[in-house]
Amino acid sequence: FSQTPVGTFISEADMFRLSADTSNGANADITANLERVDDATFSKIGTGMTESSGIFTFPSTGLYQVICNPGVIGVSDNRNSVITNVSSDSGSNYDEVADASGGGGGSSFDLNNVYSNAFVNVTNASTFRVKFTTTSFGVSCRLVGDTNKTRTSFSFIKLGASQ
């Protein structure tokens, strides 16, 4: 008995992480301390994403799954969010496509690993962009990062041809 695969196999898969905590209370685009995961057991598939000052560009057209999995420290703040923003016009305009939210209502330290997921139909690899933005972060709230292990991650998987 043999099975014949349907469609094509994944040709692109890549993951970046935050290598250091963001500043407390920062509500802004994530532009620094981003690194491709470099653990001994990590490997990407294909060319991989290109990142510059927090702007991610795609290596080819296709339908991509974009996963944001931030580690959020919330103190006295019920809703801290990381927004996934997509541009199809080289960054002139961005559309908020997903929201990963977490927080803690008490005055104590709360660490949440939250998640958002979006399908991005990249029809022109030279004009599509993705960036991630923190919003609603209270004065003592931040994202956690670590250069030795993944605590906040951004994953990109090409599922197939653009639609």
Side-chain angles (χ1 to χ4, degrees):
F1 179 94
S2 67
Q3 294 182 330
T4 303
V6 176
T8 57
F9 293 102
I10 290 173
S11 60
E12 293 285 345
D14 203 357
M15 180 184 284
F16 285 74
R17 67 180 166 208
L18 197 59
S19 62
D21 290 6
T22 60
S23 298
N24 282 349
N27 289 294
D29 292 345
I30 300 169
T31 60
N33 299 316
L34 291 161
E35 67 179 15
R36 177 172 281 124
V37 173
D38 59 0
D39 300 313
T41 57
F42 173 81
S43 183
K44 62 182 176 60
I45 296 173
T47 304
M49 300 293 288
T50 301
E51 182 270 329
S52 177
S53 298
I55 306 295
F56 292 87
T57 55
F58 295 88
S60 60
T61 60
L63 180 64
Y64 286 80
Q65 182 178 25
V66 178
I67 301 165
C68 175
N69 185 209
V72 179
I73 291 178
V75 180
S76 299
D77 196 332
N78 287 319
R79 187 169 186 267
N80 315 119
S81 295
V82 178
I83 305 295
T84 301
N85 305 277
V86 176
S87 174
S88 61
D89 60 6
S90 302
S92 295
N93 299 285
Y94 280 90
D95 181 27
E96 295 182 358
V97 300
D99 181 342
S101 295
S107 60
S108 62
F109 172 102
D110 291 304
L111 175 60
N112 301 272
N113 268 91
V114 294
Y115 176 91
S116 72
N117 185 25
F119 285 177
V120 179
N121 188 30
V122 178
T123 56
N124 185 336
S126 65
T127 62
F128 273 69
R129 309 277 186 271
V130 171
K131 67 179 181 177
F132 302 94
T133 306
T134 57
T135 185
S136 300
F137 274 42
V139 67
S140 298
C141 303
R142 65 188 179 277
L143 294 180
V144 290
D146 192 323
T147 192
N148 296 312
K149 61 185 170 203
T150 302
R151 300 191 69 188
T152 293
S153 66
F154 308 96
S155 302
F156 306 86
I157 304 166
K158 183 175 177 179
L159 302 173
S162 59
Q163 302 300 298

